[in-house]
Amino acid sequence: MARASTRPTSRDVAEAAGVSQAAVSLVLGEKWRGRVSAATAERVREAARTLGYRPNLAARNLRLGRTRTVLLVVPALTTEFFAGVYTGAARVAAAHGFGVVLYPSPEGIGPARDPFASAQAALDGVLASSMAADALTAIRGDQLPLVMLDSDPDGSLGAATVNLDITDGVRQVAEHLLGLGHRRFLHLAADVASWTFEIRARELAARVGAVPGTTVRTAPAPISIEGARAAAEAALSAPGPRPTAIVCDDDKLAAGAYKAARRLGLRIPDDISVTGLDDLALATAIDPELTTVRLDAELFGERGMQALLAVLEGRAPARGDIPVELVVRGSTAPPAVA
Amino acid sequence: MARASTRPTSRDVAEAAGVSQAAVSLVLGEKWRGRVSAATAERVREAARTLGYRPNLAARNLRLGRTRTVLLVVPALTTEFFAGVYTGAARVAAAHGFGVVLYPSPEGIGPARDPFASAQAALDGVLASSMAADALTAIRGDQLPLVMLDSDPDGSLGAATVNLDITDGVRQVAEHLLGLGHRRFLHLAADVASWTFEIRARELAARVGAVPGTTVRTAPAPISIEGARAAAEAALSAPGPRPTAIVCDDDKLAAGAYKAARRLGLRIPDDISVTGLDDLALATAIDPELTTVRLDAELFGERGMQALLAVLEGRAPARGDIPVELVVRGSTAPPAVA
DNA sequence: CCGCTGAAGTTTTACGTATAACGTCCTTCG
DNA sequence: CGAAGGACGTTATACGTAAAACTTCAGCGG
């Protein structure tokens, strides 16, 4: 008597097809050329189909010692950007027969502080954003192959890195604004300790500092519209000559800058220019539409996953930063003549 | 000689602690009361710690016949809303020792059309949004425990359902606008075939239709700012008396409506009122801030996961819709007197 | 006619874990 | 004082799969 409620196993298929379990494994694994006759192979496939057989992945993973599953570590995930990264990474992974499990690092997740306990799956490798700093120490503990996203290339983790060319993006923003004639800048900076934000500040200072007579004031702000609004409003109300352009570390901060400007009665771009970074949906929802740097989040995820798969196969991951593109919209214009 | 590069197993721990593998399993599984002395237990834990032992989950899953992993099926994931659903679901799952693997249903993912092949993990259950319609047939094929999110309670899948009280949200919107004096409505509707959108249209028609002298025109639009702008602009330019309020199926559509109004020289809320549904970050980024219905995406994910866990444990999932809340902001006002 | 090769399978084993079933002692009580 | 039971383990087994090692047999060249 066959077991009732249990899912069919390869042995059940074997019995139905009148062959051994090994033959089933060979046929379904496409390793049967010269080992099993075509007729028998078809019989096995037919039996598997009618029984609705699905291989038990836990057993397969145990046997093979690998899982074809990788972990993607991101901060929070509540952002459009990392949703895009996930989408790109998952697409590439799927094309190679890999699955992706997610670990959104901070408060979002429950008591299981350990990414590897939380992601119940057994893993082959890890793709991690540098912004998920709190999870990195735990990750370093394991010996799993690791590829970092947007991390210091000389980082202490000694892992391969895939980067967006943020430096170039900031350079494009700086030259765009300088070219329009701006000289007094406010840098609305994300108050997050992460390499990807540090280079924004560094490159902006370098580019703008190269032009005599320019000034850059920096206002740190939490990455939220309301927090950015408060920080920008305070900075714009400070004594001294008012900046003519606000360079924001990302689009959400720029949305906050819009609100600050509106409260202070400043019109964009007539009285003050604003730039963002990301090109989220938000950028075209606000009025005027935001001049910003487009980051291709999905491509970023794809490249990251390709690099990780390369590492898993023992190949060297491709080098080279991912290009970004300045998108000029209505939020920037020449400064009003004083 | 111990094997070199391989990860330590429970047998390695046993050897190091001078006990049997079974004892290690008992101690680490916290099943040792009255079976192993406290001193021995501590010795085992110490050995596990120094070796950096981590149980092989594939082996455990095979042995136990369950994986403590569930699949979350959502459309695309590129939205803030489903990112929130994931976050809430993952939090509850983690608190119960479960992992969550994601299947974003449509084009995003590679050639593996089959959610269960794509999600490499072996699964215990499925939590699925009704919007991921294309994956549902595949899901129905398997016998896995299933809980639906925002689906027709009388649906043909015969699965438990967890719903946001969208009907009540639409009712609140309708009464808010009717109370302000609006009588001519434009319904900017998502052109997605899904139960959750169908009930929006149905409830709006019911509430507004109950008041004599009201009219509702419907304009279907793709869920994107630009698509919504085009649809709204066309509808507002149509002959006949202009609507005084636009009711949008979600916030993104509302952002499109804003752009249409701006193009036509209509001021919000003076010339026309607009409402959304979701309360995304977008809602407070645009000017004026959007009157919308707040959906608690994380709570939705939490409740959904709680229901699925209940089903997995053989308990009956809790009944009752999740309350939603109208948030009145600056985009609605009484209609201008004709 | 013998031995060899290749086709077509089968038998067996290992992956690492959890737990049922089975041994020892040592204490304790009728 | 004998037996019963607890305390403290160990041995053995099964989960389902993949693949290495083995068997059987037909055909064929020398």
Side-chain angles (χ1 to χ4, degrees), chain A residues 188-243:
Chain A
L188 197 53
D191 67 349
V192 174
S194 169
W195 181 78
T196 188
F197 289 117
E198 287 162 20
I199 56 167
R200 285 157 161 81
R202 201 182 311 157
E203 180 68 13
L204 181 64
R207 287 293 156 181
V208 167
V211 177
T214 60
T215 63
V216 178
R217 204 184 310 161
T218 298
I223 305 186
S224 76
I225 294 177
E226 186 48 30
R229 194 228 85 226
E233 200 170 334
L236 290 176
S237 307
R242 182 152 30 227

Side-chain angles (χ1 to χ4, degrees), chain B residues 214-303:
Chain B
T214 61
T215 64
V216 179
R217 204 183 313 159
T218 299
I223 305 187
S224 74
I225 294 175
E226 187 47 30
R229 194 229 85 226
E233 201 170 332
L236 290 176
S237 307
R242 199 183 338 260
T244 61
I246 310 180
V247 176
C248 303
D249 267 359
D250 82 357
D251 288 0
K252 234 175 189 172
L253 294 174
Y258 270 50
K259 303 195 88 119
R262 186 134 35 214
R263 285 220 193 179
L264 296 172
L266 299 172
R267 289 176 317 163
I268 301 171
D270 311 282
D271 299 321
I272 195 162
S273 289
V274 177
T275 67
L277 203 148
D278 265 359
D279 199 23
L280 307 179
L282 207 103
T284 59
I286 54 186
D287 182 67
E289 295 190 349
L290 182 66
T291 294
T292 188
V293 176
R294 174 171 300 151
L295 307 184
D296 192 335
E298 293 199 17
L299 180 60
F300 190 34
E302 287 179 10
R303 287 282 178 82

Side-chain angles (χ1 to χ4, degrees), chain A residues 55-79:
Chain A
N56 179 321
L57 292 183
R60 170 179 295 173
N61 290 342
L62 174 57
R63 176 65 234 251
L64 295 179
R66 68 193 152 78
T67 60
R68 292 193 160 269
T69 298
V70 300
L71 181 70
L72 176 62
V73 181
V74 297
L77 179 79
T78 38
T79 86

Side-chain angles (χ1 to χ4, degrees), chain B residues 10-78:
Chain B
S10 63
R11 208 171 309 270
D12 297 330
V13 175
E15 200 169 328
V19 297
S20 71
Q21 179 266 331
V24 173
S25 182
L26 288 173
V27 170
L28 267 37
E30 294 299 332
K31 306 230 161 128
W32 56 279
R33 312 145 252 249
R35 313 261 286 122
V36 176
S37 72
T40 304
E42 185 47 38
R43 230 169 56 240
V44 168
R45 275 190 290 261
E46 173 62 22
R49 213 174 302 127
T50 63
L51 285 178
Y53 169 72
R54 282 180 185 281
N56 180 319
L57 292 183
R60 170 178 294 172
N61 290 342
L62 174 58
R63 174 66 234 250
L64 296 179
R66 68 192 152 80
T67 60
R68 293 192 158 269
T69 298
V70 301
L71 180 71
L72 175 63
V73 180
V74 297
L77 180 78
T78 38

